[in-house]
Amino acid sequence: MRDILPELLRWQRAGKRCAIARVVRVEGSGPREPGAAMAVNESGEVVGSVSGGCIEGAVVEEATEILAGRHEAGVVTFGYSDDDAFAVGLTCGGTIHLYVEPFDW
Amino acid sequence: MATISSELRAAIDAGTPVALATLTEGGRIGAKLLVYSDEARPSTGDLGNPELTRVVARDARGELAAGSTVMRHYGPAGQARQAEVSVFIESFAPPPQMWIFGAVDFTGALVSVAKALGYRVTVCDAREVFATTARFPDADAVETLWPHELLERDGAALGLRDAVCVLTHDHKFDVPAIRAALATSVGYIGCMGSRRTHEERAARLRDVGVADAELARVMSPIGLDLGARSPAETAISICAEIIAIRYGRRAPSLRDAKGPIHEERPLASRSSEND
């Protein structure tokens, strides 16, 4: 999160609402370590990354749902082995758990 | 009003070790606790239960000391061996340090690669003409001192995540530098020079009382056996060696090989001649 924190604080100062996704656990082969983070603001601007580009699109959707109040903050899981929950997966074969929440702190 | 995020940013900018704990499942989801390694400094925030907050603060200091970022599980009041509550603990330790001795041709390239890897880089050379910020604009600090003087002054700050690279290849500087580096807890010591320079240097180090077991800590000649020639290639071979050692992987180091450090010409240009 260290790398995106300055941008998050700029958004916060500018009054832009945003949601942040952080990698909290990786099983098997995953491209980024726990702590890797990305954020999406209400204008649709994105900063950071949580994988090698495999799931960023789905993370933007989840963040948008949270900003719209349709989803609660919580842990979401992306994995190659997931049959139903997510259409996108990781080509590396690993599983990534992300904690996604509004950046209101 | 100061937010937890702005307090976190201020701590990171000040180089203060800090951990951020976030409750992610099984309680007040999103609750946060900012914990400092300094126990005298109070934490900011709470996790919704005083006992959970106390236990997580203690564990966060442990994770911070190890520089690790992990998910941990507790009972609702911080009980061990229960897992209803998940807390993500993210450590923000100050960046690792690389000290580069010798303001030579290779130094600038090594500064660039080390910066890309997130090191705080110090360049040190006793020669005032060479050790200038103008020559190493990307370095975080430039010191005009003998290497061993810097190591004796500030070496106690070096730890397992840090690196010392001796590029002077001048025995006058190298020998006291390596001896002083061996007295620190630094995780990586690499030393540049040809195989002949290395042999002479090792002999001089033994002469001043450095034991073979200590010498075994030194990666000399420095770097992986990549056939690197240019400053940029050499910088990558050095940093790649540091990465391999950090993760305990075996990659072919120059120290453990024999024969010339550089090939006469790269294979690619040789094969094109055969066409």
Side-chain angles (χ1 to χ4, degrees):
Chain A
M1 180 170 57
R2 187 197 298 263
D3 50 339
I4 68 167
L5 191 55
E7 187 67 19
L8 285 174
L9 291 170
R10 265 192 293 278
W11 289 350
Q12 197 176 56
R13 275 196 302 275
K16 285 187 181 177
R17 295 169 57 244
C18 58
I20 177 174
R22 283 182 279 164
V23 176
V24 293
R25 200 152 67 89
V26 179
E27 293 161 62
S29 174
R32 299 290 310 269
E33 302 212 313
M38 67 180 277
V40 182
N41 70 20
E42 58 189 346
S43 314
E45 291 171 282
V46 177
V47 63
S49 77
V50 291
S51 74
C54 319
I55 58 171
E56 271 72 2
V59 175
V60 170
E61 283 178 33
E62 178 62 23
T64 307
E65 291 298 303
I66 283 175
L67 285 176
R70 288 188 292 266
H71 284 188
E72 300 269 313
V75 175
V76 291
T77 297
F78 296 90
Y80 184 72
S81 54
D82 276 2
D83 299 328
D84 45 6
F86 292 97
V88 289
L90 295 162
T91 51
C92 53
T95 302
I96 294 184
H97 303 272
L98 299 169
Y99 173 67
V100 194
E101 66 176 349
F103 183 68
D104 56 3
W105 43 276
Chain B
M1 185 193 74
T3 58
I4 285 211
S5 56
S6 57
E7 189 178 330
L8 173 63
R9 171 87 193 277
I12 292 172
D13 287 352
T16 305
V18 64
L20 176 67
T22 304
L23 196 154
T24 63
E25 279 174 288
R28 217 174 77 198
I29 291 176
K32 293 197 170 51
L33 185 67
L34 198 61
V35 181
Y36 294 91
S37 59
D38 179 2
E39 287 186 40
R41 188 163 172 182
S43 305
T44 302
D46 77 273
L47 299 179
N49 173 290
E51 198 51 21
L52 177 67
T53 301
R54 187 188 66 79
V55 171
V56 170
R58 179 199 67 197
D59 291 351
R61 283 196 186 93
E63 299 298 348
L64 185 54
S68 40
T69 286
V70 293
M71 187 74 105
R72 294 188 69 131
H73 305 282
Y74 303 91
Q79 297 94 328
R81 294 182 295 281
Q82 294 186 30
E84 294 94 325
V85 175
S86 301
V87 178
F88 180 58
I89 299 173
E90 191 170 358
S91 290
F92 299 88
Q97 298 197 62
M98 183 185 287
W99 291 7
I100 307 172
F101 295 115
V104 298
D105 290 354
F106 292 93
T107 308
L110 184 53
V111 172
S112 302
V113 177
K115 289 302 295 176
L117 290 172
Y119 283 91
R120 183 180 191 282
V121 181
T122 299
V123 173
C124 174
D125 194 304
R127 301 163 301 177
E128 276 175 35
V129 194
F130 297 111
T132 64
T133 48
R135 288 190 70 210
F136 305 106
D138 297 333
D140 297 284
V142 177
E143 300 273 3
T144 312
L145 283 172
W146 278 62
H148 70 277
E149 292 174 333
L150 180 66
L151 283 158
E152 283 160 12
R153 192 186 76 189
D154 297 340
L158 295 173
L160 272 182
R161 305 187 306 145
D162 303 318
V164 164
C165 299
V166 182
L167 307 187
T168 34
H169 48 69
D170 176 337
H171 299 317
K172 174 167 88 252
F173 295 109
D174 290 358
V175 170
I178 294 170
R179 206 177 164 196
L182 285 169
T184 72
S185 310
V186 71
Y188 174 89
I189 304 171
C191 197
M192 188 177 264
S194 66
R195 295 205 180 275
R196 198 181 63 194
T197 304
H198 161 69
E199 292 301 335
E200 286 176 16
R201 191 165 48 211
R204 285 168 188 252
L205 282 160
R206 286 191 193 95
D207 287 347
V208 296
V210 176
D212 283 348
E214 288 184 277
L215 271 185
R217 268 177 75 192
V218 182
M219 300 308 292
S220 172
I222 194 170
L224 292 186
D225 190 5
L226 302 181
R229 285 200 91 93
S230 70
E233 289 171 353
T234 304
I236 286 173
S237 109
I238 293 169
C239 289
E241 180 171 74
I242 294 172
I243 293 168
I245 288 173
R246 188 201 309 149
Y247 293 115
R249 295 302 175 100
R250 290 202 57 79
S253 285
L254 281 165
R255 184 183 73 168
D256 306 324
K258 291 190 170 59
I261 291 176
H262 311 292
E263 289 291 338
E264 285 300 307
R265 278 163 299 173
L267 278 173
S269 65
R270 268 186 277 162
S271 65
S272 64
E273 278 171 27
N274 296 337
D275 291 341

